[in-house]
Amino acid sequence: MRLGVLDVGSNTVHLLVVDAHPGARPLPAHSHKADLRLAQLLDARGAIGADGVDRLIAVVREALQAAEDKGVEDLLPFATSAVREATNADDVLARVESETGVRLQVLTGAEEARLTFLAVRRWFGWSAGKLLVLDIGGGSLEIAYGMDEEPDIAVSLPLGAGRLTAGRLPGDPPAPDDVRALRRHVRAEIARTVGEFSRAGTPDHVVATSKTFKQLARIAGAARSTEGLYVQRELKRESLEAWVPRLAGMTVRQRAELPGVSEGRAGQLLAGALVAEAAMDLFGVESLEVCPWALREGVILRRLDHMGSA
């Protein structure tokens, strides 16, 4: 059957259409994206303003039309941290449902981490052993660890690249004092979680997902996306540590000229790099592998599992 996943994230609203059935690998058929940046549309009260809600409704309608055009039989709509943490989340969800018919399922941070972990486990298989999975989104950082398809530990921290950029990195390029302050904040937040993971044991394989990690790996020399999903892409901490001060000294326009960096994501690349560097350092990770599957694929796989057991 043809499934659609509608992901209302902190940066983008992304419709992914796949051909799938239980026991088979989902095959991508269509992708429709719109940059919305909900995490940056919150007002002083932490609410999504009327203009932001109007834009969200318009984008959801566009995605619904694209899903219909592509013959989607079953649509799985969900929202992550930007909607989850908005002080007017209930009102936003009610308006979206009233005006589009779409009832967005709001995932908790732990659910995001678990579903992303499932996707990574299915991609690499059992031979990967104990996995540590890192995922930097626009609004949050998810970390999960385990041996099975359900992680033993799954946490979510408010360290998304979009959130941190909007709240803590004014200036283009940002002031060195702001960069240092953000570095301290990020490391303090991540350090609180390290002990719990350390007690669980050393991972056999460390994996990262998300656009942020893909772009960091690309500027550090990983293969282009045009070379296909199955090319191994790694990010070494040594390379990342060399890039962080360079990114800090660049304007958004200069970052957008780097290989693999989109104009829409260039502004938050430095914050993402600081989070990635901190996580790799504090967890003692010298090198990680970038996985092409992430949260959306995890949502699809969970749906297929339920279909197969029905």
Side-chain angles (χ1 to χ4, degrees), residues 53-54 57 61 64 94-102:
V53 180
D54 289 341
I57 289 169
R61 283 178 175 150
L64 282 175
R95 267 202 67 192
V96 170
E97 183 174 6
S98 172
E99 299 191 31
T100 69
V102 172

Side-chain angles (χ1 to χ4, degrees), residues 100-115:
T100 69
V102 172
R103 178 178 293 181
L104 291 170
Q105 177 190 1
V106 180
L107 299 179
T108 68
E111 285 172 334
E112 283 189 60
R114 287 196 293 268
L115 288 165

Side-chain angles (χ1 to χ4, degrees), residues 264-288:
R265 300 269 183 163
Q268 62 188 46
L269 188 62
L270 171 60
L274 287 168
V275 174
E277 179 192 36
M280 293 182 75
D281 185 13
L282 291 167
F283 282 99
V285 176
E286 296 298 328
S287 178
L288 54 76

Side-chain angles (χ1 to χ4, degrees), residues 234-254:
E234 292 184 336
L235 176 62
K236 296 185 182 300
R237 175 156 45 114
E238 181 181 17
S239 298
L240 181 58
E241 288 173 343
W243 267 102
V244 168
R246 296 175 63 182
L247 293 171
M250 291 180 176
T251 64
V252 172
R253 177 173 293 183
Q254 288 171 327

Side-chain angles (χ1 to χ4, degrees), residues 82-251:
V83 173
R84 178 173 70 235
E85 296 167 13
T87 55
N88 61 336
D90 290 342
D91 293 338
V92 172
L93 294 169
R95 267 202 67 192
V96 170
E97 183 174 6
S98 172
E99 299 191 31
T100 69
V102 172
R103 178 178 293 181
L104 291 170
Q105 177 190 1
V106 180
L107 299 179
T108 68
E111 285 172 334
E112 283 189 60
R114 287 196 293 268
L115 288 165
T116 301
F117 187 90
L118 172 64
V120 173
R121 170 59 72 195
R122 294 280 177 91
W123 181 267
F124 287 104
W126 299 115
S127 63
K130 290 176 286 189
L131 289 172
L132 175 65
V133 177
L134 306 172
D135 180 11
I136 302 172
S140 57
L141 163 69
E142 275 69 51
I143 311 170
Y145 169 95
M147 173 67 94
D148 301 317
E149 291 197 335
E150 183 72 19
D152 298 320
I153 310 170
V155 301
S156 179
L157 302 174
L159 298 177
R163 177 203 296 268
L164 297 177
T165 300
R168 293 177 175 268
L169 286 182
D172 185 23
D177 285 349
D178 289 333
V179 175
R180 282 195 294 271
L182 177 56
R183 184 180 187 274
R184 287 194 298 270
H185 169 72
V186 166
R187 286 172 177 260
E189 287 285 318
I190 295 174
R192 293 191 186 107
T193 73
V194 171
E196 183 180 5
F197 285 89
S198 297
R199 284 189 289 273
T202 303
D204 298 307
H205 197 46
V206 182
V207 178
T209 71
S210 75
K211 192 71 170 180
T212 293
F213 273 113
K214 290 175 183 176
Q215 291 186 339
L216 291 172
R218 178 71 188 95
I219 66 174
R224 294 182 174 87
S225 59
T226 54
E227 295 184 41
L229 290 178
Y230 301 104
V231 175
Q232 187 179 36
R233 294 173 173 88
E234 292 184 336
L235 176 62
K236 296 185 182 300
R237 175 156 45 114
E238 181 181 17
S239 298
L240 181 58
E241 288 173 343
W243 267 102
V244 168
R246 296 175 63 182
L247 293 171
M250 291 180 176
T251 64

